[in-house]
Amino acid sequence: ILVMVSVIHSAAAYQSKIVRFLHITFDATGDSFLAGDHHGNIYVFDISANRFRLIQKTGQACTALAFNLRRTTEFLVALADYSVKCFDKDTKQLVSWMRGHEGAVSSVSVHSSGRYAITTSTDTAQLWDLDTFQRKRKLNVRQSVGIQRVFFLPLSNTILSCFSDDSIFAWECDTLFCKYQLPVPDQGPRFHYKAFAVTRDGKTLAAGGRSNLLHLWCLEARQLLRVIQMPPKVRTVRQLDFLPDSFDGGPPCSAVSPNGRHVVTIMDNGGLNIYAVQSLTQEFNKPPPPLVKVVSGGGPSALTVKVKSESVQRPSKTSSRSVKTKVLRPPAVSVAEEKENELPDGLNQKRLLGLLKAFGEYPAKYRMFVWRSLLRLPENHAAFSSLTDKGLHSAYISIQERYPIKSHKLQRGLQRVLSALAHWAAIFGETEYLPLVAFPFVKLFQNNPLLCFEVVATIIVNWCQHWFEYFPNPPLNVLSMVENVLAHHDKELLQHLTDCGVTSQLYVWPLLETLFSEVLTREEWLKLFDNVFSNHPAFLLVTVVSYVTCCRAPLLLCNHKEDFKYFFHHRNNLDISAMIKETYRLMEGTPAEIHPRNMLADFQPLTRGQYPVFNKYPTYIVEYQSQERERIRQQEMEFLRERQAVQELRAETVRRQAEDEAWYTQQELLQQAEEQRRNILQQEENKLAEQRTRLAAMKRELKVKEMQLMDAARRRFQKHQQHQRLTDLHRLDDQIQQKVWRPQESAAAVQDAEVRQIELETQRRLFEQVRNCPSLHSKFPQVLTSLGHRSAPPRQVIYILKITWPRYCHCAVVL
């Protein structure tokens, strides 16, 4: 297996240090993918342009990535801080920031419409609206049961939740109503599911875990289809992916591009390897081995070995009986015929036709491989790119108005293929029924527009011969061929159709212009075109006759033209195998003079390198129609410009009217607001007046209380003053009483005065004695000094004399 590209991310400062990539996810086109490393850097890799660029630095490791949003430039990244952020890869701006998880987000699943996303951690799963980035619902589980993964099923509104106890539930996206639960056995060994993958049609679920077993579940029947055992050395399945088939459109996943061209893997060293799916599927694209292999030689006792596509079985020998064998020898075929029947990839058209006649159809597994070989598609990538680079053709810009398709992917694919056909040949821009021819193959090859274009181009060149000679009318010559064959094989039915006014344009052309896609189911249509592609181009015209003859009974019962119109535009009860057998019978039983084989050229594949020039149509009509279409388109453009100008003028008028209305409304609102504020001010003024009145009343009350208090204080003070004065009067009275002379006191005072007089007289006499007696003067100088200079009362002098000199005192007293 060859690796296209190997990417190793090393740190800038340390070239030897590898920065590991953690997660990868493809965009819707499959031509570019995102990769996030453990440093938080997000890179976008463009495989077709062979370049990459850094688009975001988150600063922390990412735990999950998603890139299939409705707005193709936006992507979701789950970070190590349990948050989910939405960035724009072109502007590198943060679009939104979603929080709510309490654990690391392990996966992000985006709805096929791109509007909703589910983020899953071990404890919860949360449903987000990507238009508003608001959380709509939250799924909580018990701590004992963790969540393994929650994701949308492709092309549906079903959510699948897988838990750690191996239980799997399906929920309705809008109502979160539980639709069903897969019957996982309760008993027996645990499977420990860890990895899950779903096919693109959402019908099959693959689950794996801690074993070498893979379980395939049918989600429609809700039962286990089969168990696939891998080699014994496989112990754990970590990731599962359905590899998209280039033809049937397998499921997109985080590691496989939706277009099925590339696979990106994260290696053990943290690098990226980009593989081409074509190199991975070389073994699967090999043609199947022959069903019967003849071993000749060895005489009649030799054994014939039967080799089937899946296993080899040999008849066992018995000792009692001899084995009868028949040696099969291929018929003699010329070298030129054998070379003519050789197909690419080692297939042989004649052998394939024999296999087809034996089983009625090709194996579904190899059908697209066989078709590609039968049609000998050249796969001119450069030529197809030159056609697609011209963009959408003007004839198919508004095709959704004529042919509304629910799937936007199919709508874009149909536009792309039809535009490429219109750029290849001008008539295909004027052919109204071309979308009916191309749509079944667009739906079948929706992931490979190159093969779709080449298949449709091959059908136009070979099976649509002479269809455009009477353009823009139906191909009357081709319809006449079919009518001649029908007239030869069933004149009664043709006469009935003629009597009812039903022409070949009513019963042949509806089948041809839709290639039977309206009247057959998918399986019936595939089985029919297995035979159409394996035979001459006339086989398709003869098939129309066989369809009409096989529906002979109900057609004979119809008598109104409207009934015939309805019959050839809707599905009917028909055995497709019987119809194909009838076609082969008519191919062999139709006379050569009316056989379409003699009027149509043999199969011619598309040339390699460049597509052939297609001019088998009246060019003047197509050119006239093209000119008319261009003139009408110019008129429409002019009309659209005028209408746009009128609409802009009307919009401007409406805008001005709206502005005027808004201004008047605003003025009215302002007036109302002013009136309201005036009322509020008036109310406030009234409240203030009331408050002032109450305040004045309170002031009066306070004044009265103050006067009362002052009066009480005055009275109390007066009382106190009165009491004080009374006290003073009493004190004065007491003092007066004390000062009033009483007789005893007067007598005592007189006595004291007399004693004083006596003392003074005595003192005088003493002084005189001392003064006259020198001896006393020398002995008692201090006494004399004291007596001579003191003015003490007589009692004190006498007392002193008694202390100092009692005899003189006594003597003095005597004196």
Side-chain angles (χ1 to χ4, degrees), residues 493 497 502 506-508 510-511 514 516 518-520 544-574 579:
L493 179 58
L497 296 174
V502 178
L506 188 59
Y507 69 87
V508 177
L511 300 177
T514 61
F516 291 87
E518 284 186 345
V519 297
L520 298 179
V544 176
V545 179
S546 65
Y547 181 85
V548 175
T549 56
C550 288
C551 298
R552 187 175 190 274
L555 288 176
L556 290 176
L557 297 176
C558 295
N559 295 314
H560 301 284
K561 184 180 279 189
E562 296 298 328
D563 295 338
F564 288 101
K565 288 182 180 179
Y566 182 87
F567 186 88
F568 288 103
H569 284 280
H570 294 81
R571 295 176 183 174
N572 303 289
N573 188 13
L574 178 70
M579 188 192 78

Side-chain angles (χ1 to χ4, degrees), residues 94 183 377 420 533 561 618 661 738 774:
L94 175 64
L377 302 181
F533 290 154
K561 184 180 279 189
E661 292 294 332
Q738 290 176 1

Side-chain angles (χ1 to χ4, degrees), residues 676-687:
Q676 291 177 357
R677 282 161 177 76
R678 286 179 179 175
N679 294 333
I680 293 173
L681 288 175
Q682 186 65 34
Q683 294 175 1
E684 292 296 328
E685 289 179 356
N686 295 335
K687 291 181 180 179

Side-chain angles (χ1 to χ4, degrees), residues 630-792:
E630 182 64 22
R631 183 181 61 80
I632 295 173
R633 191 180 69 85
Q634 292 295 336
Q635 292 179 353
E636 289 180 351
M637 292 297 294
E638 184 65 25
F639 171 74
L640 291 176
R641 282 194 294 268
E642 293 178 357
R643 189 175 66 176
Q644 182 68 21
V646 172
Q647 289 179 351
E648 290 178 356
L649 182 60
R650 183 180 301 170
E652 182 67 19
T653 304
V654 171
R655 185 183 63 81
R656 291 182 178 178
Q657 290 179 353
E659 289 180 354
D660 294 341
E661 292 294 332
W663 186 83
Y664 284 116
T665 304
Q666 186 178 9
Q667 294 301 316
E668 292 178 358
L669 292 175
L670 290 175
Q671 291 178 358
Q672 294 177 1
E674 184 178 359
E675 291 295 332
Q676 291 177 357
R677 282 161 177 76
R678 286 179 179 175
N679 294 333
I680 293 173
L681 288 175
Q682 186 65 34
Q683 294 175 1
E684 292 296 328
E685 289 179 356
N686 295 335
K687 291 181 180 179
L688 288 175
E690 293 177 359
Q691 291 178 358
R692 290 192 189 98
T693 304
R694 289 196 298 269
L695 183 59
M698 292 175 62
K699 284 182 179 181
R700 287 194 298 270
E701 292 178 0
L702 291 175
K703 191 66 175 176
V704 171
K705 289 182 180 180
E706 182 181 2
M707 293 175 64
Q708 292 175 355
L709 291 174
M710 290 178 64
D711 185 62
R714 183 180 56 78
R715 288 195 300 269
R716 183 178 179 185
F717 180 73
Q718 289 177 355
K719 186 176 181 181
H720 176 71
Q721 290 291 333
Q722 184 179 2
H723 178 71
Q724 187 68 26
R725 290 178 180 177
L726 289 174
T727 303
D728 292 342
L729 290 174
H730 290 304
R731 187 170 61 252
L732 291 174
D733 290 340
D734 293 340
Q735 290 177 359
I736 292 172
Q737 288 296 331
Q738 290 176 1
K739 293 180 180 180
V740 172
W741 292 93
R742 295 179 181 179
Q744 296 84 358
E745 292 178 354
S746 298
V750 171
Q751 289 178 0
D752 288 340
E754 290 178 355
V755 173
R756 178 62 179 170
Q757 185 177 1
I758 294 171
E759 286 179 352
L760 290 174
E761 185 65 25
T762 303
Q763 187 175 8
R764 183 183 64 76
R765 290 177 180 177
L766 179 59
F767 283 144
E768 289 179 357
Q769 288 177 3
V770 173
R771 192 180 299 117
N772 296 327
C773 187
S775 60
L776 291 174
H777 183 72
S778 60
K779 290 182 181 180
F780 303 101
Q782 297 177 351
V783 176
L784 294 176
T785 305
S786 174
L787 291 175
H789 295 282
R790 289 185 56 178
S791 61

Side-chain angles (χ1 to χ4, degrees), residues 515-527:
L515 296 182
F516 291 87
S517 61
E518 284 186 345
V519 297
L520 298 179
T521 64
R522 174 186 171 88
E523 291 73 16
E524 293 172 345
W525 188 86
L526 292 174
K527 183 181 291 187

Side-chain angles (χ1 to χ4, degrees), residues 288 343 347-357 362 370 373-374 534:
L343 297 175
L347 298 182
N348 185 280
Q349 185 171 2
K350 191 171 183 179
R351 294 177 182 175
L352 287 176
L353 187 58
L355 179 66
L356 182 62
K357 289 183 178 180
Y362 293 124
V370 173
S373 298
L374 288 172
S534 301

Side-chain angles (χ1 to χ4, degrees), residues 12 28 42 144 177 198 231 280 364 441 579 597 603 716 756 776:
I42 309 295
S144 59
F177 174 76
V198 183
L280 292 172
F441 300 98
M579 188 192 78
R597 181 194 299 271
F603 175 80
R716 183 178 179 185
R756 178 62 179 170
L776 291 174

